[in-house]
Amino acid sequence: MNDNKYSGASEAELGFLKEIVRMLPAGLTVQDAQGELLLVNDVAAAQLGMDGSRPSRDLAPRQEACRQALISGRAVVAEEALHDGAARQVLLTTHRPVRFDGRELLISASSDITEQKNFEDQLFRSAYFDELTGLPSRRVIEHRATGLLAQGRASERFALAFLDVDNFKHINDYYGHAVGDALLVELSKRLGRGLRESDMLSRISGDEFLLLLSPIQSQEEVAEFMQSTLERLTAPFFIDNSEVFASTSVGISLYPDHGSSFETLRQNADIAMYRIKNDGKGSAAFFDSSMEREALARMKIEQSLRQAILEKRFCCAFQPKVDIRTQDVKGIEALVRLRDDEGVIQAPGSFINLATELGLIDELTHLVLAEIVKSIDLINETFGAEATISINVAAKQAGNPEFMRSFAQALDDTGFPQRFMIEVTEDAFVAKNHFQAEILPMFRKLGVAISIDDFGTGYSSLSALADITADEIKIDRSFITDIHKRPRNQGILRAIESLSEALGMTVIAEGIESYEELAYLQAATKIRYAQGYYFSRPIFLEELKLATPISSEARASVTNRSTQQNRQGYSRANGYRR
């Protein structure tokens, strides 16, 4: 500070003021109209790199702000970003012009807001960018698309593609969530290849992405691009010493052909994607009006299903498991059926998958158990008090410890848990959710048996079967149909039978529908038990109520009566099993 310019103050006063300014927590500078710095306190010197502690900063933007403040004669507040390599420091500075002792001076006070700005940037990124992949969020791509729509030029076409990773839950279950997250990162990189600056890829939820292609010339151009993108995804992903294969189903809508708003275009692309999911996955389809009609029909079924669960309009049918040597009933399988609004019985093919997808399957399973408990006396009178009662549990449920704990408790609350057998498909055993280690012990403790349902249609192998702890294995109908004239299936059946016998598991043949199939099993195998329309169609509770109690010796006549009905033309379509 040039003390001779302030001769009116004593040396002591000036020294005291300088010490106060030096110790201020904010950076403070004073400069004249020519830009000469008259005073710089310690904090300002450190901020501006004037104390030798760091390289000098580029102060040109600051000097320009100071010049403008002096010219205008008004205070200026500005954020100043000062960079030191990759590091960034942000200052909030107030430049205030003052007139002192006949001179125009500028006082600048700066506070370090770097931490606050970093936090704001973090909030911005979390709001507008996906934390895992770094891709823009749905909000960003919606803003971009809405901006294109606002231009109102239908001649400038664009495409919106909805992408969903196929079987991602299974990948998560089998390999673990860390591999699943890494897969999404690598997948986003492959999806992003070949995009122009005007295009945008966004991750909008777990395994769902949106892709905006703008501008486009034709549908054929988009189809060609999406085909090349899907081909890139066919190569395996090498993650955490695992070779992971993944595919993506894609639905595409075009502007203005398929909508004039972002939400309409997104919904129509979503509808097209679900068509691909239902048709086999791993490819792309453009939206058309027929898909919209299907989506409306699906929505109607969904609403009806929710209402049916609310009103408990579900009922049970029971199909016996029969000893093919004696015709005695070994057990029964509870099969859920839906009564529609008109009272017509609907087979599970029309609602089970949707119930699973909508998260309603847990409630539905508990409803089945409640129906069994309510009718247990009637069940015992008809099929015998020793018959096991099988209930189907979806693989998704089997991998959910929370549901399985609640279901185990519900079985225990019946007072006769040892009567029950849980039927799960084989993929529940091989997934990394460790069904055997985490879930199975709960049911073993209660005396509940475990059955492997539909064996041979999923991830089955003889080595996998050797590692499975179960009481019963049900060989899928696809292996049993016309078994008497299919030598290869006969060989597979013998292998499964031998291994199951060695492991102490009971074998049940599913889907017996002809005398020839039964005769082959009786003559050429050791299989004791079977289930199918040849013995009995599923029997509803209403039919049980009409029947008179029967003795254990005559109980097999239930299946005989049903067999006669089946031979008179009753088809599987009237009540095929879940």
Side-chain angles (χ1 to χ4, degrees):
M1 182 180 290
N2 298 330
D3 295 342
N4 63 321
K5 297 175 182 176
Y6 309 103
S7 56
S10 69
E11 290 290 337
E13 289 173 331
L14 287 174
F16 180 65
L17 289 173
K18 285 166 55 177
E19 186 64 20
I20 290 175
V21 170
R22 185 183 69 80
M23 296 178 64
L24 286 175
L28 186 69
T29 63
V30 178
Q31 66 185 68
D32 61 17
Q34 286 70 46
E36 180 183 353
L37 288 169
L38 307 178
L39 183 147
V40 180
N41 74 349
D42 292 352
V43 174
Q47 290 171 346
L48 302 178
M50 300 173 65
D51 62 350
S53 63
R54 66 186 75 192
S56 299
R57 307 291 180 85
D58 179 9
L59 300 180
R62 180 187 180 95
Q63 291 168 346
E64 177 60 23
C66 293
R67 191 178 70 83
Q68 292 297 328
L70 283 169
I71 292 173
S72 67
R74 293 192 298 270
V76 175
V77 180
E79 286 186 7
E80 300 174 333
L82 306 176
H83 295 275
D84 179 8
R88 180 190 70 156
Q89 184 180 33
V90 183
L91 304 178
L92 181 63
T93 302
T94 300
H95 302 291
R96 186 177 300 279
V98 297
R99 188 171 182 83
F100 184 77
D101 197 22
R103 303 183 64 189
E104 300 293 337
L105 302 176
L106 188 71
I107 301 175
S108 302
S110 300
S111 299
D112 190 332
I113 59 169
T114 305
E115 186 174 341
Q116 175 186 335
K117 292 302 295 182
N118 289 341
F119 180 67
E120 290 176 358
D121 290 347
Q122 182 180 351
L123 288 178
F124 177 83
R125 287 201 63 81
S126 64
Y128 294 101
F129 292 88
D130 174 52
E131 183 178 358
L132 178 65
T133 63
L135 294 175
S137 67
R138 169 180 169 146
R139 187 181 303 180
V140 177
I141 198 169
E142 180 176 359
H143 179 76
R144 172 74 67 83
T146 302
L148 293 173
L149 293 167
Q151 295 174 9
R153 290 179 289 198
S155 58
E156 295 189 7
R157 306 176 69 194
F158 67 85
L160 194 65
F162 195 113
L163 305 93
D164 184 272
V165 182
D166 299 322
N167 303 317
F168 186 68
K169 184 184 184 304
H170 174 70
I171 292 172
N172 259 342
D173 289 343
Y174 189 82
Y175 293 100
H177 287 274
V179 172
D181 286 348
L183 173 63
L184 291 174
V185 173
E186 295 304 314
L187 194 73
S188 66
K189 292 177 182 177
R190 289 195 194 180
L191 291 174
R193 290 180 196 167
L195 295 184
R196 303 162 295 183
E197 288 189 6
S198 57
D199 301 328
M200 180 178 287
L201 176 65
S202 167
R203 181 186 178 211
I204 60 173
S205 68
D207 60 344
E208 295 178 337
F209 298 81
L210 272 182
L211 175 61
L212 176 68
L213 299 175
S214 173
I216 60 169
Q217 300 300 319
S218 65
Q219 178 171 316
E220 291 71 25
E221 172 194 3
V222 177
E224 183 178 342
F225 176 81
M226 291 311 309
Q227 183 59 37
S228 64
T229 299
L230 291 175
E231 287 175 359
R232 281 200 300 272
L233 301 183
T234 59
F237 295 84
F238 295 95
I239 302 171
D240 192 22
N241 298 319
S242 297
E243 187 178 28
V244 184
F245 289 87
S247 64
T248 301
S249 296
V250 185
I252 309 165
S253 61
L254 305 175
Y255 170 78
D257 311 58
H258 304 141
S260 57
S261 72
F262 171 80
E263 193 57 30
T264 300
L265 290 166
R266 187 204 63 78
Q267 287 178 353
N268 289 341
D270 192 5
I271 289 171
M273 184 273 294
Y274 268 103
R275 165 70 72 84
I276 290 296
K277 288 283 190 185
N278 293 333
D279 289 350
K281 305 177 182 179
S283 58
F286 288 89
F287 172 79
D288 64 51
S289 57
S290 67
M291 295 178 183
E292 187 172 22
R293 291 191 294 272
E294 291 176 6
L296 290 174
R298 171 190 165 89
M299 186 179 300
K300 184 177 179 181
I301 294 173
E302 177 181 334
Q303 292 171 344
S304 175
L305 179 58
R306 292 185 184 276
Q307 189 67 27
I309 289 179
L310 186 65
E311 297 174 356
K312 293 182 171 54
R313 285 193 280 107
F314 288 90
C315 58
C316 282
F318 299 95
Q319 190 172 38
K321 299 176 180 179
V322 179
D323 186 326
I324 63 175
R325 315 291 172 175
T326 66
Q327 298 294 301
D328 288 337
V329 175
K330 171 187 182 289
I332 55 173
E333 180 181 1
L335 305 169
V336 65
R337 299 292 186 263
L338 167 66
R339 295 186 190 276
D340 65 18
D341 297 337
E342 299 176 356
V344 178
I345 299 292
Q346 300 293 326
S350 65
F351 63 85
I352 284 292
N353 289 340
L354 183 59
T356 303
E357 182 182 325
L358 297 175
L360 302 174
I361 191 67
D362 293 355
E363 188 172 356
L364 193 54
T365 304
H366 279 291
L367 285 176
V368 170
L369 179 59
E371 190 77 5
I372 292 170
V373 173
K374 184 175 66 175
S375 308
I376 190 61
D377 290 340
L378 192 57
I379 291 171
N380 289 343
E381 290 173 1
T382 307
F383 299 107
E386 302 302 319
T388 60
I389 305 170
S390 295
I391 300 178
N392 287 277
V393 171
K396 181 178 181 180
Q397 296 173 289
N400 181 353
E402 183 178 353
F403 166 75
M404 295 302 278
R405 277 192 290 268
S406 71
F407 191 54
Q409 183 61 55
L411 290 173
D412 193 26
D413 291 343
T414 66
F416 46 91
Q418 68 282 353
R419 286 283 302 278
F420 289 99
M421 178 174 286
I422 303 302
E423 293 195 11
V424 293
T425 51
E426 59 203 272
D427 49 335
F429 289 88
V430 300
K432 276 194 176 176
N433 52 41
H434 301 300
F435 173 82
Q436 296 195 117
E438 300 176 23
I439 306 298
L440 197 56
M442 290 190 294
F443 292 94
R444 291 289 186 214
K445 186 176 180 180
L446 297 175
V448 176
I450 303 295
S451 174
I452 307 171
D453 197 13
D454 300 332
F455 187 81
T457 60
Y459 305 93
S460 57
S461 69
L462 296 186
S463 61
L465 181 58
D467 291 332
I468 290 174
T469 304
D471 303 281
E472 176 184 276
I473 180 170
K474 300 181 74 175
I475 301 174
D476 188 72
R477 167 176 162 71
S478 60
F479 287 93
I480 302 301
T481 300
D482 293 333
I483 185 70
H484 53 288
K485 52 185 178 182
R486 297 171 68 185
R488 293 179 66 85
N489 277 17
Q490 292 170 11
I492 294 172
L493 185 61
R494 285 193 297 271
I496 297 173
E497 179 189 0
S498 297
L499 185 53
S500 301
E501 183 180 14
L503 296 173
M505 289 188 285
T506 300
V507 177
I508 292 189
E510 290 190 278
I512 303 294
E513 293 194 0
S514 71
Y515 173 76
E516 290 78 12
E517 293 167 354
L518 173 62
Y520 175 83
L521 294 179
Q522 290 174 326
T525 75
K526 297 178 182 178
I527 292 175
R528 285 290 303 268
Y529 303 104
Q531 184 179 355
Y533 272 60
Y534 181 82
F535 304 104
S536 174
R537 61 181 175 80
I539 305 169
F540 290 91
L541 279 173
E542 289 84 351
E543 297 171 290
L544 298 185
K545 292 173 184 176
L546 294 176
T548 57
I550 55 178
S551 66
S552 58
E553 292 78 10
R555 201 164 279 128
S557 66
V558 173
T559 60
N560 292 335
R561 289 198 302 272
S562 186
T563 300
Q564 291 300 318
Q565 291 173 327
N566 193 39
R567 289 172 177 171
Q568 291 169 9
Y570 197 98
S571 71
R572 289 178 62 85
N574 292 95
Y576 54 85
R577 61 183 299 280
R578 172 179 157 188

